[in-house]
Amino acid sequence: MLPEKMQSVKMLTDRLLEFPRVRMGHLPTPVEPLSRLSAATCCDIWVKRDDCTGIGFGGNKVRQLDFYLGQAVQQGATQVLITGAVQSNFVRVAAAMAARQGMGCHIQLEERVLDADDTYRQNGNVFLSRMLGATLYSYPEGEDEVGADARLFRLAQDLRSAGEVPFIVPLAPSSPPTGALGYVDAALELIQQNHFFDDIFVASGSSLTHSGLLFGLRALGNSTTVYGVCVRRDRVTQKERVRSRLRDLALLLDMPNNVLDADIRLDDCALAPGYGRMSTETEAAILKTARLEGMFLDPVYTGKVMAALMARTNKLRGRKILFWHTGGQPALFGYTNSFNDL
């Protein structure tokens, strides 16, 4: 590694060490070739296996919650409060990691998916969160992050009155992007694994994974193109969210933001028919990946990312591509009635 790159690695490593962290993830995660999928698409596709981060069925949220739970432990918390969609992977992992720390978990489930059936509401991540002992609440709005956080603060006051020490994992982008630190660290991990790619495809929802990864790569002088695949908002709206989170992350780390506006690449071709709902292309991408690679994707995040990648294969030939697998497989069991081509 060149001296200037070594200096960048040390600086970023030192900054991350200043933040409390619980380190529950099974890291580093492997980088593997997807040989059969590559042959079928005439592209050189690899995968970063963040579905293998371990605790609570793993996924990208483990890296984020390492830092949130680090704060919770530092503050002596006894209860963790968090909001997510009904089939949220974030809340399931939060419940698992809180249980490992001897904390209770209170989960507020937003109504983001219209006309959801009983399988969606009871199976998958909902079932696992209950198994982990979490207390579940319903929040009727799916696009009210500020209101959802305010409701958690009221729940936290009730818990505090009962003698508990609550810790809130916030949802709205007005809070510091603590979870993004997990993907700044993931960028370091990827560089240290000595794998180099032309393009990376990753889900962009809250944008903490996307913005953290992009910030970390550019801080390390790495110019790999990162495509954030929109799973909740269109690319224009999502781009402003990513911009904002990058600015916030630079403030949090007290570092310059080396991400140019042109570096923020958003693709919303797989977004329709909306959050948590599949198009025929997303369903086809999930089934093709399973049948060629024995690897499961979910309808909410990774299935859409793979669908977007497959839609670009003609333009990506001759390039080395990394598909960042952010997990989410338990949600599949909430969608068993949504697959048409089985």
Side-chain angles (χ1 to χ4, degrees), residues 269-296:
C269 74
L271 176 60
Y275 175 86
R277 301 176 69 189
M278 283 190 298
S279 64
T280 55
E281 291 80 9
T282 295
E283 181 180 354
I286 292 170
L287 295 178
K288 189 170 189 175
T289 304
R291 292 168 181 178
L292 289 176
E293 296 289 352
M295 188 172 74
F296 296 113

Side-chain angles (χ1 to χ4, degrees), residues 46-104:
W46 293 61
V47 59
K48 177 66 167 163
R49 296 297 303 265
D50 271 16
D51 58 320
C52 300
T53 50
I55 183 168
F57 277 108
N60 64 319
K61 302 305 185 184
V62 173
R63 291 187 190 269
Q64 296 184 22
L65 284 158
D66 267 358
F67 286 91
Y68 283 120
L69 268 290
Q71 289 184 343
V73 169
Q74 187 180 66
Q75 295 172 21
T78 60
Q79 303 288 331
V80 174
L81 293 84
I82 188 169
T83 298
V86 172
Q87 280 297 332
S88 166
N89 302 303
F90 203 1
V91 303
R92 176 250 306 162
V93 177
M97 293 176 71
R100 178 77 69 84
Q101 291 294 326
M103 302 173 185

Side-chain angles (χ1 to χ4, degrees), residues 135-330:
T135 303
L136 273 55
Y137 309 81
S138 178
Y139 190 74
E141 300 295 327
E143 295 298 335
D144 181 15
E145 294 176 318
V146 173
D149 280 351
R151 169 82 181 286
L152 283 189
F153 277 103
R154 292 194 294 273
L155 290 172
Q157 288 174 350
D158 293 341
L159 290 167
R160 197 174 286 112
S161 297
E164 301 286 354
V165 181
F167 176 84
I168 293 174
V169 179
L171 186 63
S174 55
S175 301
T178 302
L181 298 174
Y183 273 84
V184 175
D185 187 58
L188 266 170
E189 179 180 299
L190 182 66
I191 295 300
Q192 290 170 338
Q193 287 176 309
N194 290 316
H195 286 284
F196 299 95
F197 296 92
D198 296 301
D199 308 282
I200 296 173
F201 281 74
V202 67
S204 192
S206 71
S207 88
L208 293 181
T209 296
H210 178 194
S211 57
L213 178 62
L214 184 55
F215 186 98
L217 289 173
R218 295 302 184 264
L220 295 167
N222 182 286
S223 60
T224 301
T225 301
V226 178
Y227 289 99
V229 177
C230 300
V231 299
R232 187 171 176 183
R233 304 170 192 86
D234 65 79
R235 61 185 178 182
V236 175
T237 307
Q238 187 67 5
K239 187 164 187 175
E240 184 50 46
R241 189 179 182 101
V242 175
R243 280 194 195 107
S244 175
R245 297 278 75 183
L246 287 166
R247 290 193 295 266
D248 295 340
L249 189 51
L251 289 171
L252 183 63
L253 283 164
D254 191 23
M255 291 178 61
N257 175 14
N258 293 332
V259 180
L260 303 176
D261 202 59
D263 290 332
I264 307 173
R265 306 278 188 100
L266 277 304
D267 187 335
D268 59 7
C269 74
L271 176 60
Y275 175 86
R277 301 176 69 189
M278 283 190 298
S279 64
T280 55
E281 291 80 9
T282 295
E283 181 180 354
I286 292 170
L287 295 178
K288 189 170 189 175
T289 304
R291 292 168 181 178
L292 289 176
E293 296 289 352
M295 188 172 74
F296 296 113
L297 309 180
D298 76 297
V300 187
Y301 297 97
T302 54
K304 290 180 186 270
V305 176
M306 186 59 79
L309 193 164
M310 289 182 175
R312 286 179 174 266
T313 51
N314 286 338
K315 297 179 180 179
L316 294 171
R317 290 179 183 177
R319 298 175 69 83
K320 189 175 180 182
I321 306 154
L322 182 65
F323 167 78
W324 204 293
H325 195 325
T326 53
Q329 294 96 325

